[in-house]
Amino acid sequence: MSRNYLSVPTGSESGSSSRSKEQRSLLHPPTYERVDSQSQESASIDFDLESENYNNSDDHDNDNDNSTHFSSDMDFEDIDSFMENGGTIPHSLSKLKYLQYTINKTLIRPVQMNIVNPLNELQLMMNNEIDRYLNQFGNPLILKRFIYIVFMTVILWFIVYFGDFTTGIAKGSKGSFSSQRILFDYSKKIINLEKFETDLEYLSSMDHGSGTKGDILMKDYIKKNFEKNGLDEVFENELKTYSNYPSNESTLSVFHTNLKQLITIELTDENYTPLNINGELRKLSLVYGHYGTYSELKQLHKISVLGKDTGNYILLLKYNKEIMVSEQILTAQKFNAKGIIFISQEYNGNKNILQMKSAGLPQYATGDILTPGYYGSKVNGISPEDSKLLTNIPIVTLTRKQGEILMSKLSKTGLLYKDGQYSGNINDLRIDLKSRTVEKRRQPLYNIIGRIDGREQNNKAIIIGTARTVHGPGASYPNFGTATLMNLAEILQNLKYRFNWRPLRTIYFASFGGSEFNFAGSTEQVELDMLPIHDGVYAYLDISQLGLTDEINIQTNPLMTKLFNKEAKYMRSFNVSTCPIQQYGDWIPFLANGVPSAALASPPVKERMMPIETIQDTFDMIHELLQEKGNQDNVKDIIFFLVEVVLKLIDDPIIPFDVVDYVQEIDTSVQSMLKLYKRRIDLAAMLRNILKWKKTSYSWKLWLDHWTDSVWKKGTSSENEENKENRLRWNDHLSKINKLMCHDYGLPRRAFYKNILFGPPLWNEKFFDSHDYNPWSFPGVKDAISEHDWKLADEEVKLVGQMFSDSSEEFMKDLKILV
């Protein structure tokens, strides 16, 4: 290689031949004899020394007796030899070249001669010895390649199964499992409050009752958000259900008993009660019934306030956070009231606000009132008059101010309540009431569902759901929960992209329509997908009732109680409490069919405190609260808490159900019934067979400890094929544990509720007043107790006891060999 350190003559004094000779000397400089052992033959190959006279002074511009000819392209060994023979470096050699020469002389050449060359000789000697040895067995080249492949395979195996490096990669750092700590830390960094607020603002920008134009815009917004986030699949289900909508034809007139009209109360489309029936009542008495509890109405009847001939009166009632509206309606119907006028609560001193609460009766079933218990879009339903899910008396809701006007017209006679108001009597007032709504027997509603597929057991899944529809802006409920759902989906999808991560099991995100119509959207979805839900869905989480508070109450199946309490320990900005499910919501169809469910709620939202379910539930109110640093931290922590819980449910190797807690909760409920009803009911069958489940729970705990010791605690972070096979089998059985307690024919007179272990009793009040440990346990037994049908109660106890025995055996089938 030539380097143009010297100038090439181009003047006219040099002819073409001399010009060629000069150029050649630059492009092919002379090479001096090496001092080391290099043969003359090799030197003559590099440079033809005999073809040129390198000592002829006529060939160079400068001739100096004290100088020696030198080329900048000499290799370092030539320079070294030259310098040792007393040569001097010409001025034309650059400083960089001299630096290279110095480094070579002091560092590179000693290392090469003292280390590299001996190692090369050693390697050559070893290769010869290895080849000689391998030659005894076959071709050495082939055998060495085989040994290399085996060696690299062993190295790769050690990296995969014993590596635990903090690389920022969440996948595979614990054997075949994800490093959830990395996922947690990253998810906390990417919580986007600005997007949360933007979503909440849009969702609250208009009324969006089920089946309205506003809801169509909302469901499209959520669907596009899911699609933009890149979920594995996003789909929309259109379902048909009975619905009704406000009209301006309802009227209410008040008369003296002499039929002289006192006042006419103006009713608008805001005096609307979803699932109210159309009807007209004329000249009926008005009686104030406070909250309309069973004990209050029974006392009114006892003191003859309702008259000897009951059935010719309308009840004036207040809403109460502790009493379900549906139970108020059922109780009024039981005492033969012909109609109900509800009084709304006041809000911040404003008495002109109307609450729009549903009049559906989920005690018998949730879902479409015309097709109770089965998917109704392709089946002819019953008539509204024949449906137990619909009230059979007309209902009107008034403002607090309008209600006080009516109460002021009642006499100070009858029963005195705790609020200082008398019931009055049937001779005080007469009422004309006309209730009119616009009925749609097959109105479309829409569910939006997105999915992230699992990588190991993708046929096992959880569902995170929210209600979406409400007649009003719905900022506090259900929009806060919907915005949380959208942000949760985005965070989990970001984890998937950032870390090339997928959960072990599948997760669904569901936005349900029709919640104000007896939770029609979620129920029809369950009825439509009954088989895949029964086989694959092992948990349902509802986050509709989350809100801006520093406390979360979680109503949950006991299988998940320990999970929520464990994750709550890491939350500093809010408190978490757990209890059994004792409230109706979109989780009911899942609970009724044995899917372990949980409803996460902020207490004010759970109790539907004002202005929820009114037109005052606007974004402006929440927007002001979101500007406070404390509330911003609460929102972040709520979302982060959800991320942690969800990741545990979908990405823990073993489904994080606690069978010991589950059995203990059942046993506590049995002991509570024994204490209350031991003189009436023989609980021997339940007490005897619950012991089988206790044994089953110990077997589960024994296997879990064994698996944990084998995989985690020994420091290997790896799982062999046997452990994996056993783990997947246990997961399959855990996913069905609560479904084993479902009866094909459901509860007596309430076939919709298949779960005989957990579910709502027909009458809540009696069991809450009796201090029952869990009023929503053994609903078939509780129904018989409330009707004082002790024979039926004994039969239900025997049925439950037998199912304890059968389900424990079914659960342990194919698993006994593992423990």
Side-chain angles (χ1 to χ4, degrees):
M1 182 179 68
S2 63
R3 296 190 176 104
N4 191 13
Y5 289 114
L6 303 178
S7 60
V8 180
T10 58
S12 59
E13 70 271 15
S14 299
S16 62
S17 61
S18 65
R19 199 165 44 242
S20 175
K21 183 177 180 180
E22 183 69 23
Q23 290 172 348
R24 181 180 177 87
S25 67
L26 286 172
L27 297 173
H28 303 280
T31 302
Y32 295 91
E33 255 189 317
R34 303 173 184 265
V35 289
D36 58 358
S37 58
Q38 190 175 35
S39 67
Q40 181 65 29
E41 181 181 353
S42 71
S44 64
I45 292 174
D46 292 334
F47 303 99
D48 188 1
L49 298 177
E50 295 179 355
S51 64
E52 300 288 350
N53 184 6
Y54 285 91
N55 293 320
N56 190 351
S57 61
D58 295 337
D59 295 334
H60 302 274
D61 295 332
N62 297 320
D63 241 292
N64 195 316
D65 293 339
N66 295 325
S67 67
T68 306
H69 296 294
F70 183 83
S71 169
S72 65
D73 269 356
M74 288 189 297
D75 61 25
F76 287 111
E77 291 184 0
D78 296 327
I79 296 175
D80 199 15
S81 176
F82 175 71
M83 293 291 291
E84 289 173 356
N85 290 327
T88 59
I89 300 176
H91 180 69
S92 58
L93 184 60
S94 68
K95 293 182 179 180
L96 179 61
K97 194 70 176 180
Y98 178 70
L99 179 62
Q100 290 177 331
Y101 155 71
T102 304
I103 294 175
N104 180 72
K105 180 179 178 181
T106 58
L107 179 63
I108 296 177
R109 286 188 62 199
V111 170
Q112 183 176 9
M113 297 180 65
N114 298 321
I115 298 177
V116 176
N117 289 344
L119 288 177
N120 286 340
E121 292 179 6
L122 178 62
Q123 181 187 12
L124 182 61
M125 182 178 65
M126 290 180 62
N127 283 340
N128 291 335
E129 288 297 319
I130 292 173
D131 287 348
R132 185 177 62 80
Y133 179 77
L134 293 177
N135 196 44
Q136 303 175 25
F137 306 99
N139 190 320
L141 180 61
I142 297 175
L143 290 175
K144 283 194 289 185
R145 289 180 178 177
F146 176 76
I147 293 172
Y148 173 79
I149 292 173
V150 172
F151 177 75
M152 295 306 298
T153 301
V154 172
I155 294 296
L156 182 62
W157 184 83
F158 269 87
I159 292 174
V160 170
Y161 288 95
F162 295 95
D164 191 10
F165 311 108
T166 307
T167 61
I169 303 300
K171 181 180 177 182
S173 62
K174 288 292 184 182
S176 59
F177 310 127
S178 301
S179 177
Q180 292 183 359
R181 190 71 263 160
I182 295 175
L183 300 178
F184 293 156
D185 292 343
Y186 184 74
S187 64
K188 197 165 189 177
K189 296 176 183 177
I190 62 174
I191 295 174
N192 190 343
L193 285 185
E194 290 185 4
K195 184 182 183 303
F196 177 88
E197 190 171 348
T198 299
D199 291 338
L200 184 57
E201 182 177 14
Y202 182 80
L203 294 169
S204 308
S205 61
M206 66 190 77
D207 295 357
H208 48 283
S210 181
T212 64
K213 293 181 180 179
D215 182 45
I216 292 175
L217 293 173
M218 294 300 124
K219 61 96 174 173
D220 287 343
Y221 180 78
I222 296 169
K223 183 179 180 183
K224 290 178 181 177
N225 182 274
F226 283 174
E227 291 172 342
K228 183 178 179 181
N229 287 331
L231 301 184
D232 291 328
E233 185 179 9
V234 179
F235 55 95
E236 171 185 318
N237 278 344
E238 178 182 312
L239 307 168
K240 302 292 181 65
T241 186
Y242 176 91
S243 307
N244 67 333
Y245 299 94
S247 77
N248 291 317
E249 299 180 18
S250 298
T251 60
L252 177 63
S253 299
V254 183
F255 301 85
H256 271 305
T257 51
N258 61 8
L259 303 184
K260 180 179 179 181
Q261 184 169 347
L262 289 176
I263 54 173
T264 298
I265 296 179
E266 182 180 357
L267 302 180
T268 68
D269 56 2
E270 292 182 24
N271 297 87
Y272 161 68
T273 303
L275 291 184
N276 186 22
I277 66 165
N278 292 332
E280 188 170 354
L281 305 174
R282 298 181 63 83
K283 305 302 183 291
L284 295 185
S285 301
L286 181 70
V287 176
Y288 177 57
H290 197 221
Y291 296 135
T293 64
Y294 182 87
S295 58
E296 288 172 337
L297 296 190
K298 184 177 181 180
Q299 194 170 359
L300 283 175
H301 186 267
K302 183 177 180 180
I303 64 175
S304 300
V305 170
L306 304 180
K308 296 180 181 179
D309 244 347
T310 61
N312 292 320
Y313 66 92
I314 297 172
L315 276 175
L316 181 64
L317 302 177
K318 289 181 178 179
Y319 287 125
N320 183 272
K321 65 181 181 180
E322 297 178 358
I323 303 174
M324 300 173 184
V325 175
S326 57
E327 185 148 351
Q328 289 177 295
I329 296 172
L330 285 174
T331 305
Q333 291 179 170
K334 188 176 183 69
F335 282 89
N336 297 316
K338 297 301 182 183
I340 300 176
I341 299 174
F342 279 110
I343 303 173
S344 300
Q345 298 171 310
E346 65 179 85
Y347 174 59
N348 289 341
N350 186 350
K351 297 183 178 183
N352 292 314
I353 295 179
L354 284 160
Q355 293 175 276
M356 292 176 279
K357 293 181 176 290
S358 175
L361 303 178
Q363 281 88 339
Y364 291 101
T366 59
D368 178 26
I369 68 166
L370 304 184
T371 58
Y374 54 91
Y375 177 57
S377 293
K378 297 182 180 180
V379 180
N380 293 327
I382 61 178
S383 67
E385 292 77 16
D386 295 330
S387 176
K388 289 186 176 181
L389 282 60
L390 192 66
T391 174
N392 57 28
I393 59 177
I395 297 170
V396 165
T397 301
L398 303 180
T399 66
R400 182 62 179 264
K401 184 176 181 180
Q402 291 170 333
E404 288 178 348
I405 291 174
L406 287 180
M407 287 190 291
S408 67
K409 305 296 181 182
L410 294 172
S411 64
K412 296 185 181 301
T413 59
L415 186 64
L416 178 63
Y417 299 106
K418 293 180 179 179
D419 63 353
Q421 180 67 39
Y422 285 89
S423 64
N425 63 67
I426 60 172
N427 296 317
D428 289 341
L429 298 173
R430 295 288 185 268
I431 298 293
D432 280 357
L433 172 63
K434 183 171 75 171
S435 172
R436 284 289 181 269
T437 60
V438 178
E439 283 187 304
K440 300 287 184 180
R441 296 200 176 190
R442 295 289 85 189
Q443 179 73 358
L445 63 82
Y446 305 94
N447 293 337
I448 304 300
I449 300 174
R451 187 184 75 236
I452 296 178
D453 290 325
R455 63 183 171 91
E456 184 180 69
Q457 289 182 292
N458 61 358
N459 62 330
K460 302 298 179 186
I462 70 168
I463 300 175
I464 305 176
T466 61
R468 184 185 67 251
T469 54
V470 65
H471 289 275
S476 301
Y477 172 85
N479 298 348
F480 190 98
T482 301
T484 303
L485 178 75
M486 295 166 67
N487 278 260
L488 180 62
E490 181 178 21
I491 290 171
L492 293 176
Q493 191 66 7
N494 279 336
L495 295 180
K496 176 183 165 185
Y497 286 140
R498 172 64 177 82
F499 298 105
N500 191 28
W501 165 83
R502 277 192 180 275
L504 294 176
R505 297 172 290 276
T506 298
I507 178 171
Y508 287 92
F509 306 92
S511 173
F512 293 122
S515 296
E516 73 273 41
F517 297 132
N518 206 34
F519 316 108
S522 57
T523 305
E524 295 302 304
Q525 191 69 53
V526 170
E527 292 170 350
L528 174 65
D529 295 324
M530 181 59 72
L531 287 179
I533 286 176
H534 182 272
D535 292 339
V537 176
Y538 61 91
Y540 174 78
L541 304 185
D542 192 283
I543 59 175
S544 305
Q545 300 182 110
L546 290 175
L548 268 180
T549 59
D550 57 359
E551 181 180 356
I552 294 181
N553 174 257
I554 303 175
Q555 302 174 79
T556 180
N557 184 289
L559 285 167
M560 296 185 284
T561 300
K562 187 174 182 179
L563 168 66
F564 289 117
N565 288 332
K566 181 179 179 181
E567 296 307 315
K569 293 179 181 178
Y570 304 106
M571 298 296 104
R572 297 182 179 180
S573 66
F574 61 87
N575 299 317
V576 176
S577 60
T578 58
C579 66
I581 294 178
Q582 297 174 0
Q583 182 189 18
Y584 290 99
D586 280 302
W587 52 90
I588 289 296
F590 296 95
L591 179 149
N593 289 281
V595 177
S597 304
L600 288 75
S602 301
V605 182
K606 177 184 176 183
E607 297 168 2
R608 298 297 190 272
M609 293 181 65
M610 298 287 278
I612 294 174
E613 296 177 323
T614 76
I615 62 172
Q616 300 296 319
D617 189 12
T618 62
F619 173 75
D620 291 340
M621 175 192 65
I622 292 186
H623 176 67
E624 294 180 5
L625 295 174
L626 282 174
Q627 306 314 305
E628 300 176 10
K629 181 65 166 56
N631 287 329
Q632 292 176 1
D633 291 340
N634 285 343
V635 174
K636 287 182 178 180
D637 285 341
I638 288 171
I639 295 175
F640 181 62
F641 176 72
L642 283 173
V643 170
E644 289 197 309
V645 168
V646 170
L647 284 177
K648 290 291 184 182
L649 280 170
I650 62 175
D651 207 42
D652 267 10
I654 301 171
I655 294 175
F657 288 168
D658 194 305
V659 181
V660 174
D661 277 2
Y662 177 73
V663 176
Q664 182 60 46
E665 184 78 10
I666 295 172
D667 185 54
T668 303
S669 296
V670 173
Q671 296 297 330
S672 177
M673 281 207 307
L674 179 65
K675 182 178 180 180
L676 292 171
Y677 309 111
K678 61 182 178 181
R679 296 181 180 179
R680 293 281 192 173
I681 307 174
D682 182 7
L683 296 173
M686 293 175 67
L687 293 169
R688 180 173 60 253
N689 289 320
I690 192 66
L691 296 176
K692 293 185 177 181
W693 262 110
K694 288 183 177 181
K695 182 179 179 180
T696 298
S697 70
Y698 297 147
S699 298
W700 167 83
K701 186 67 167 59
L702 181 65
W703 175 84
L704 181 63
D705 291 342
H706 168 75
W707 184 90
T708 303
D709 289 339
S710 300
V711 176
W712 296 125
K713 291 188 177 180
K714 290 185 178 180
T716 61
S717 302
S718 62
E719 181 185 48
N720 59 36
E721 285 300 319
E722 181 182 3
N723 279 334
K724 180 178 179 180
E725 180 183 352
N726 293 342
R727 174 176 62 83
L728 297 181
R729 193 178 301 169
W730 272 98
N731 278 347
D732 186 59
H733 285 240
L734 284 169
S735 69
K736 299 176 181 178
I737 181 171
N738 205 58
K739 298 167 189 173
L740 296 175
M741 297 302 297
C742 291
H743 194 279
D744 292 341
Y745 297 103
L747 304 179
R749 296 185 291 274
R750 294 197 297 154
F752 174 82
Y753 291 97
K754 303 292 192 297
N755 189 344
I756 67 170
L757 195 58
F758 300 113
L762 183 60
W763 300 96
N764 273 277
E765 181 187 346
K766 297 179 181 179
F767 299 103
F768 280 101
D769 291 345
S770 67
H771 304 290
D772 193 316
Y773 171 73
N774 182 6
W776 281 44
S777 61
F778 312 116
V781 179
K782 301 292 176 63
D783 286 352
I785 292 174
S786 65
E787 298 296 331
H788 302 288
D789 190 340
W790 304 111
K791 181 180 179 180
L792 178 60
D794 283 332
E795 292 175 358
E796 286 296 304
V797 167
K798 292 178 182 178
L799 174 64
V800 173
Q802 186 61 46
M803 292 200 73
F804 279 164
S805 176
D806 295 343
S807 60
S808 63
E809 293 177 4
E810 181 67 22
F811 181 80
M812 291 302 297
K813 185 183 295 184
D814 302 327
L815 294 176
K816 295 180 181 179
I817 60 173
L818 306 177
V819 296

